[in-house]
Amino acid sequence: NRQWADAQLARMSLEEKIGQLLMVPAYSASDRQNRRQIERWIKDYHIGGLIFMQGTPSAQVELTATYQRLSSLPLLIAMDAEWGPAMRLDSLPRYPNALTLAALPDDSLVYQVARSIGYQCRRLGVHINFAPVADVNSNPQNPVIGIRAFGADPHRVAQLSLLFMHGLQDAGVVPVAKHFPGHGDTYEDSHYALPVLPHDSARLEEVELYPFRNLIREGVSGIMIGHLLVPALDTFTATVSRKVVVDLLRKKLGFEGIVFSDALNMKAVSLYFPPGELEVRALKAGIDVLLYVENV
């Protein structure tokens, strides 16, 4: 509700507004639980959202209710649930990964699987699923995307990403397409190093950007920026690049939804920028929500 949002914004302090930009990791596994820390972050820093990691469904539901009660503004709850919340939680049915879905003869199953994943997210109190993976996985040596993508054909990736997006949206969950401008043709895993996408603009238009352009045209709500260096676009990694986030994604492709960073503790960026400076540079580049900030 736009009116409600405007009314909240009007009464928020600068501190509270800054807190809303941060999405921090939450664990429901008993050995990794960070409950006290999160309760403090909610109280002291007015954090805007949580991304739930490893744990159990019942513990996550319970913690979500506790955190929501503590927060003066509703928290945005997110998960990486590409093949369902089972990607992070025990005792839930695991859905097939994207590559397996792409091999099925009936494309409508992709929509049905995404809608089922959406219903599971809703039951857990999760609003945002960081999926679909809209990367065109044209590099068989890619160490991090692989089976998470719908394949190597941009048209097929676009078609199935759209079905997945609609499935999540029809279940009332916000889809976030990733990893813009395209993590498919890389040799590095951005968790450990900075991947380079060496192609010229013409090739990027034809392959990497094709699925994202289609998702934007169909109204995808969120897009995640990958920790990628694309020399054809900028000398800086996409996460801190205004040329990628504002000039390309916002202006040229016309995206009006929420822009998320990828996790800011990943080595692709944390090796190059100290905590604090990285977050400010990402915000200046046009990113809306800072995911997995290292130092709240």
Side-chain angles (χ1 to χ4, degrees), residues 43-54:
K43 222 168 61 235
D44 297 349
Y45 302 115
H46 324 285
I47 54 170
L50 304 172
I51 172 170
F52 267 98
M53 309 299 281
Q54 290 82 0

Side-chain angles (χ1 to χ4, degrees), residues 56-120:
T56 69
S58 51
Q60 181 167 317
V61 167
E62 210 175 303
L63 285 171
T64 299
T66 304
Y67 298 147
Q68 290 289 20
R69 273 197 304 274
L70 274 179
S71 184
S72 57
L73 279 168
L75 292 159
L76 274 177
I77 307 292
M79 271 187 99
D80 266 321
E82 295 165 20
W83 51 84
M87 185 166 156
R88 300 291 177 202
L89 304 176
D90 65 15
S91 69
L92 288 174
R94 183 197 156 138
Y95 292 93
N97 56 51
L99 198 60
T100 307
L101 289 176
L104 299 173
D106 182 0
D107 287 356
S108 72
L109 288 170
V110 177
Y111 170 83
Q112 287 170 39
V113 163
R115 203 172 59 176
S116 299
I117 289 172
Y119 287 143
Q120 281 195 357

Side-chain angles (χ1 to χ4, degrees), residues 96-245:
N97 56 51
L99 198 60
T100 307
L101 289 176
L104 299 173
D106 182 0
D107 287 356
S108 72
L109 288 170
V110 177
Y111 170 83
Q112 287 170 39
V113 163
R115 203 172 59 176
S116 299
I117 289 172
Y119 287 143
Q120 281 195 357
C121 288
R122 284 292 294 271
R123 291 194 66 179
L124 288 162
V126 170
H127 312 112
I128 296 167
N129 184 357
F130 291 121
V133 173
D135 299 320
V136 180
N137 195 59
S138 52
N139 183 345
Q141 247 92 57
N142 194 319
V144 66
I145 304 300
I147 59 168
R148 298 166 62 196
F150 289 110
D153 173 11
H155 297 269
R156 185 96 180 114
V157 172
Q159 190 185 6
L160 299 183
S161 294
L162 282 171
L163 285 169
F164 201 94
M165 171 193 99
H166 285 303
L168 286 178
Q169 283 182 173
D170 289 352
V173 169
V174 173
V176 176
K178 61 190 186 186
H179 307 78
F180 188 86
H183 203 324
D185 194 4
T186 56
Y187 286 93
E188 297 284 359
D189 178 343
S190 46
H191 292 89
Y192 308 109
L194 178 59
V196 178
L197 197 60
H199 305 299
D200 63 18
S201 322
R203 144 76 200 229
L204 291 173
E205 284 289 329
E206 214 171 289
V207 180
E208 277 75 18
L209 295 175
Y210 184 82
F212 290 104
R213 195 183 301 110
N214 280 277
L215 285 158
I216 291 165
R217 201 177 290 142
E218 291 267 338
V220 70
S221 321
I223 284 183
M224 179 183 281
I225 306 291
H227 299 316
L228 301 159
L229 183 62
V230 191
L233 300 173
D234 202 346
T235 50
F236 287 112
T237 169
T239 316
V240 298
S241 167
R242 216 172 155 76
K243 288 178 182 169
V244 172
V245 182

